[in-house]
Amino acid sequence: MELRTLRSFVVLAEHAHFPRAAAELGVVQPALSKHIQTLEDELGVRLFERTRRRVRLSRAGEQQMAPARRALRAADYVQAVAREIRGGII
């Protein structure tokens, strides 16, 4: 599982709108769709319920949000520590 696919999941869940989520992530909408499909395939669950007019978290998606956010916070922390090491702060 890649952090970018996990981040795509969280951002799409927050926006519930593919174009806005793609814009925030700096990717095109088909790439975002691919990230979500890849993550769903890896996890073996549907994370979103999609219709032509809307997207919303599925029950499985709701259950994955907290762990996904924790994982992203942990990854952000690792990067912050690395920046401090490079900067001679620690």
Side-chain angles (χ1 to χ4, degrees), residues 7-81:
R7 195 170 308 279
S8 293
F9 162 63
V10 170
V11 171
L12 179 57
E14 290 169 348
H15 288 285
H17 190 264
F18 271 92
R20 284 192 294 264
E24 180 176 324
L25 292 163
V27 300
V28 294
Q29 195 170 334
L32 175 57
S33 294
K34 179 66 175 164
H35 294 173
I36 299 303
Q37 186 61 54
T38 298
L39 186 58
E40 288 177 330
D41 290 346
E42 288 177 3
L43 296 175
V45 296
R46 274 208 47 97
L47 299 169
F48 293 95
E49 295 173 2
R50 302 165 183 84
T51 66
R52 298 188 94 195
R53 297 194 111 354
R54 64 184 235 184
V55 60
R56 68 181 183 139
L57 282 173
S58 66
R59 183 171 169 90
E62 290 172 0
Q63 294 171 337
Q64 291 293 326
M65 278 301 292
R69 284 186 170 133
R70 280 194 301 272
L72 291 172
R73 279 194 306 272
D76 290 344
Y77 178 72
V78 168
Q79 291 175 336
V81 170

